[in-house]
Amino acid sequence: MPYDVRPVTGKEALARILKLEGVEFLSCFPETPLIDACAAEEIRPVVARSERVVVNIADGFSRAAGGGRIGVCAMQHDAGIENAFAGVAQAYADSIPVLVIPGYGERRRRDVPPVFDAVANFQHVTKWATQINFADRVPELMRRAFTALRTGRPGPVLLELPSDVAAEEMGDSALLYSVVPVRRTGPDPADVWRAVGMLLDAERPLVLAGRGVHQAEAEHELSRLAELLRVPVMTTMNGKGALPEDHPLALGMSGLSTTAMVDHFLRRADTLFSVGSSLTRWWMAAPIPDGCRVVQSTVDDRDLGKDYAIEHAVLGDAKLVLEEMVAEAERQLAGGRRPAGGDPTGEIAAVKAAWRAQWLPLLTSDEVPLNPYRVVWELMHAIDRRASIVTHDSGHPRDQMAPFFEPLTPLGYMGWGHSTQLGYSLGLAIGMKLARPDWSVVNVMGDAAFGMTGMDLETAVRAGVGTLTIVLNNSAMTGYENYLPIATERYGSKYLSGDYAKVAEGLGAYSETVTRPEEIRPAILRALEATRSGHPALLEMIAREETRLSVYW
């Protein structure tokens, strides 16, 4: 229903619309006129330590919330929005809907150097960016913003709020606004019919599931299609967990590091059905082999054939596409057709068992300092994987963790990384915990990553957001002697130092230092218990440098 009030200022109108749109918190730093206006509407400000983390928190919320709920963040003009660029760029790279509302000086100062023009500078890392240039345009521009956030390919939207517009009254006309629904586009039935037929006819079919499956909340439909057609499923890093990784048809994820199952089945595939992925050719994705027929399903036509030649396409929202493909598969199977490739589950199990046996000595290693693979193994078995979200940070923690941690529920593992910003996981975890307060949320990062954003652990303390941060402290940037051989030999440039448990204690978090493998799981359980009362925790794992990765490409 429309929301009808009498004269309000631009900032008040914006805050009331955010309230109507279901926004419960605003991540922010340090001040804008919008913060107090939102507080007046009982939208809670979560004040972080840096603008980059402000965006990361909103990003994490959008990833985990579902149901069209959107993370919203605000920061001051000039230096504030300049500092936020990295966070927005990461959200854009991963196609995450985030509403970014920076301040601005007075409108009359536009185009006067050195005033920073966020609209011009953020054009290439947002889905849409504009300035609210009159208070009475707030409803119109907010409607357009939420339409962009909830329709088509997701991505950040930026609305710049000048100080004089924030204070300007809208006049005597009523503020009329209706909540913007999630709108989805469905596939052409003929495209669905052909795609299902190609999978049924394939001798070695394979499904690749991307982030779009999570965004559309289409995990159940993906599982049903795979089971009907007996097709193995691999995921992108951002799509990890789209099929529970204990499922007999699950191959795990592909990235810089990957599983033996992905390698085995992708190299042999004759037909690949990609859903919810841009199929970008880059160093963090396993390459599609020559000769493999590709069927691509995406919500964004700009992805079609971008990097790989495709034989067929099914345009549309991943959930609607998969629903229709399931229905079509049921019709064709009822008519007597059978998958030409047979049942691959025995082959999957055999490859997985051999791969797991190869890596089990590291996953269960008793080495001191700790082997990071042992930390991953203990974490996976300590938490409730059906009520937890775990995420990596950039670098070796990602490459060691992502292939081996097996999520059992949608978004149980939050993969990310089309941009690879160190320290990103901390703000992401805070936002995810705000979205799912009843779930445990864990981020695993290296000591270099903690150095980028670690002070924002105090943000979680102050906000009462009970996340668990695990720092793999090996006092080094692992493998960087390969890039800095002279600098490392002469000046020790790859080496770091710090007592991060002591830092966490000083910031008010629960903290422990763990040095022995038998201490890992008990420490994780104690830390998780602390988080249940809204108290963030940090575990510093004193680890060895481990350069071995499950890499095949």
Side-chain angles (χ1 to χ4, degrees), residues 363-445:
L363 292 165
T364 59
S365 169
D366 287 329
E367 292 174 280
V368 177
L370 303 172
N371 192 299
Y373 287 106
R374 177 67 183 267
V375 177
V376 172
W377 182 260
E378 295 296 338
L379 174 63
M380 186 170 72
H381 291 89
I383 66 171
D384 178 0
R385 282 182 282 163
R386 298 194 184 278
S388 301
I389 305 176
V390 173
T391 192
H392 57 245
D393 211 276
S394 189
H396 273 73
R398 172 198 62 223
D399 302 329
Q400 292 159 348
M401 187 176 180
F404 294 100
F405 191 99
E406 293 187 347
L408 304 181
T409 191
L411 301 181
Y413 186 102
M414 191 70 71
W416 58 270
H418 283 101
S419 180
T420 57
Q421 297 168 15
L422 277 175
Y424 187 74
S425 69
L426 182 58
L428 202 67
I430 295 171
M432 293 189 298
K433 184 68 174 180
L434 287 165
R436 299 199 177 190
D438 295 334
W439 282 36
S440 296
V441 176
V442 184
N443 70 297
V444 180
M445 60 199 318

Side-chain angles (χ1 to χ4, degrees), residues 23-80:
V23 175
E24 298 176 358
F25 81 94
L26 178 75
S27 57
C28 52
F29 180 81
E31 64 81 25
T32 78
L34 182 61
I35 297 173
D36 249 15
C38 283
E41 294 294 326
E42 297 185 340
I43 296 174
R44 176 191 178 192
V46 176
V47 181
R49 292 298 195 107
S50 70
E51 291 86 356
R52 173 186 159 189
V53 174
V54 161
V55 182
N56 298 163
I57 292 171
D59 178 332
F61 181 89
S62 290
R63 288 177 191 254
R69 294 191 294 163
I70 303 296
V72 183
C73 57
M75 63 288 299
Q76 70 183 41
H77 58 87
D78 293 333

Side-chain angles (χ1 to χ4, degrees), residues 5-26:
V5 297
R6 288 300 163 185
V8 294
T9 62
K11 64 184 178 184
E12 292 168 334
L14 207 159
R16 292 181 186 184
I17 290 172
L18 290 175
K19 184 72 171 181
L20 278 175
E21 289 288 2
V23 175
E24 298 176 358
F25 81 94
L26 178 75

Side-chain angles (χ1 to χ4, degrees), residues 474-498:
N474 59 16
S475 299
M477 296 186 291
T478 303
Y480 271 70
E481 68 278 5
N482 298 321
Y483 309 107
L484 310 171
I486 299 173
T488 296
E489 181 180 355
R490 292 184 181 179
Y491 304 107
S493 298
K494 65 165 278 183
Y495 297 107
L496 308 170
S497 63

Side-chain angles (χ1 to χ4, degrees), residues 100 153 267 269 280 313 379 438 517 526:
V100 184
R153 186 194 192 103
R267 289 184 189 276
T280 299
L379 174 63
D438 295 334
R526 288 191 295 270

Side-chain angles (χ1 to χ4, degrees), residues 255-296:
L256 175 62
S257 58
T258 187
T259 70
M261 298 82 77
V262 166
D263 173 67
H264 178 88
F265 282 87
L266 181 57
R267 289 184 189 276
R268 293 160 176 78
D270 60 8
T271 303
L272 177 76
F273 173 56
S274 168
V275 57
S277 169
S278 64
L279 281 185
T280 299
R281 188 192 296 268
W282 68 309
W283 62 279
M284 290 291 287
I288 298 173
D290 294 338
C292 182
R293 304 162 73 195
V294 177
V295 180
Q296 186 177 11

